[in-house]
Amino acid sequence: MPLTCIPVFVVSLPDCLDRRQAISQALSALGIEFEFVDAVDGRYGLDPQYEDQIDRVEAQRVGRILSDAEFACALSHLTIYRRIVSENLAYALVLEDDAVPSPQLVEFLVNHHYRDADLTQLYTSRAYVRRSGIKAILNTYTSYLCLPRVPAVYTVAYTVSYWAALHFVTHAVPVTTVADWPTCINTLIAKRQVRIIYPLLAEHSNTPSLIGRYGQQINRQRKAMRRYFGIYIPPFRSIVDSLVSGRSFHKLIAKRLP
């Protein structure tokens, strides 16, 4: 029987052999069985078959020009969510192929700490978390509740339940945002069903980002679109949403992780 009690899926493009080898070695060293899930390839343009699953107009309307690589990344994670739902999997661990799992990840899985929430992020950066609902795990690790209206970014490593996967499949299509995360995650956060583990149970490798590499032109357009006299101005809708939702207030009363 494998050490892990839930399926482990690694999102990876089929031709990224170096990345596949690196994470295969890392997971094998931990005794974690896993399965590669071929990612949607948007490096050279998105296949027309996916156009009905994305909304380029809405994405730009909220002030974000997404590259085909960014759309493809979000669609890749949705592929896993659909599989979780179709196979009726209670939970699954999802890793991107540039994740570097910590040895303590095994203990986290074996002790079923992923059952504490429908979505548990094992990697993030400078996240804001609640000062309540804190839970000590694995002796030196802490599980925090994610902050309302301020979801922590990155989909490098996380566990997801059947119900969270169903929620994303139902509400995150058509895709209008990057993979980390669709705005509908706020519903799960409001129900106190999104947690962050710190210290991190996975790191991000120094391998150059494929999204960044194949979306450079889009990134330049994105920056130019929001700069006036050299100063970046957030989209008006983002400013209003932040004020109306109380995002700024939540940040003031929250705890920020390193």
Side-chain angles (χ1 to χ4, degrees):
M1 178 180 291
L3 289 176
T4 53
C5 306
I6 59 175
V8 179
F9 300 118
V10 177
V11 185
S12 179
L13 289 165
D15 61 355
C16 290
L17 302 182
D18 290 344
R19 288 169 174 253
R20 289 195 171 206
Q21 181 179 11
I23 196 165
S24 293
Q25 292 176 344
L27 293 174
S28 296
L30 296 177
I32 296 178
E33 295 186 3
F34 70 96
E35 176 184 343
F36 280 117
V37 175
D38 289 344
V40 176
D41 194 347
R43 292 173 293 180
Y44 309 105
L46 196 63
D47 192 302
Q49 68 173 306
Y50 297 110
E51 288 295 331
D52 63 346
Q53 299 181 47
I54 67 174
D55 191 335
R56 298 180 187 273
V57 174
E58 177 63 16
Q60 186 168 349
R61 190 175 73 84
V62 298
R64 178 95 178 184
I65 301 175
L66 297 186
S67 68
D68 284 348
E70 288 174 314
F71 276 122
C73 181
L75 290 168
S76 299
H77 285 268
L78 277 166
T79 297
I80 294 180
Y81 304 150
R82 291 189 178 103
R83 180 166 174 182
I84 291 171
V85 172
S86 65
E87 296 182 15
N88 198 30
L89 303 177
Y91 285 88
L93 168 63
V94 181
L95 301 169
E96 294 183 343
D97 61 6
D98 54 358
V100 182
S102 163
Q104 285 71 34
L105 175 60
V106 174
E107 188 178 354
F108 172 84
L109 296 172
V110 169
N111 286 283
H112 308 289
H113 289 301
Y114 53 85
R115 294 185 178 275
D116 292 339
D118 283 327
L119 179 69
T120 302
Q121 293 174 258
L122 310 180
Y123 172 87
T124 187
S125 177
R126 294 175 294 181
Y128 290 91
V129 295
R130 291 178 184 262
R131 295 184 181 274
S132 61
I134 298 173
K135 180 179 180 180
I137 63 172
L138 308 179
N139 296 322
T140 59
Y141 286 75
T142 304
S143 174
Y144 296 93
L145 284 168
C146 196
L147 192 68
R149 296 292 179 181
V150 193
V153 298
Y154 298 116
T155 51
V156 174
Y158 59 97
T159 57
V160 59
S161 74
Y162 169 90
W163 295 110
L166 179 62
H167 179 73
F168 289 135
V169 168
T170 305
H171 299 286
V173 181
V175 175
T176 59
T177 62
V178 293
D180 26 66
W181 287 90
T183 54
C184 62
I185 193 177
N186 285 315
T187 300
L188 300 177
I189 295 174
K191 294 180 179 179
R192 303 172 75 90
Q193 286 301 313
V194 180
R195 285 188 169 270
I196 299 171
I197 306 300
Y198 193 84
L200 306 176
L201 286 172
E203 293 289 348
H204 199 193
S205 75
N206 294 324
T207 306
S209 169
L210 294 178
I211 289 179
R213 185 188 309 171
Y214 291 93
Q216 290 179 357
Q217 182 177 357
I218 293 294
N219 289 334
R220 286 194 293 268
Q221 293 176 358
R222 184 184 299 157
K223 292 178 181 178
M225 183 179 69
R226 301 307 316 166
R227 285 190 178 276
Y228 303 91
F229 303 105
I231 301 174
Y232 175 78
I233 306 296
F236 178 74
R237 178 169 172 173
S238 297
I239 297 174
V240 173
D241 180 62
S242 180
L243 294 174
V244 172
S245 68
R247 184 181 303 159
S248 299
F249 171 75
H250 282 302
K251 286 184 177 181
L252 289 174
I253 64 173
K255 175 179 179 177
R256 183 175 178 177
L257 300 180

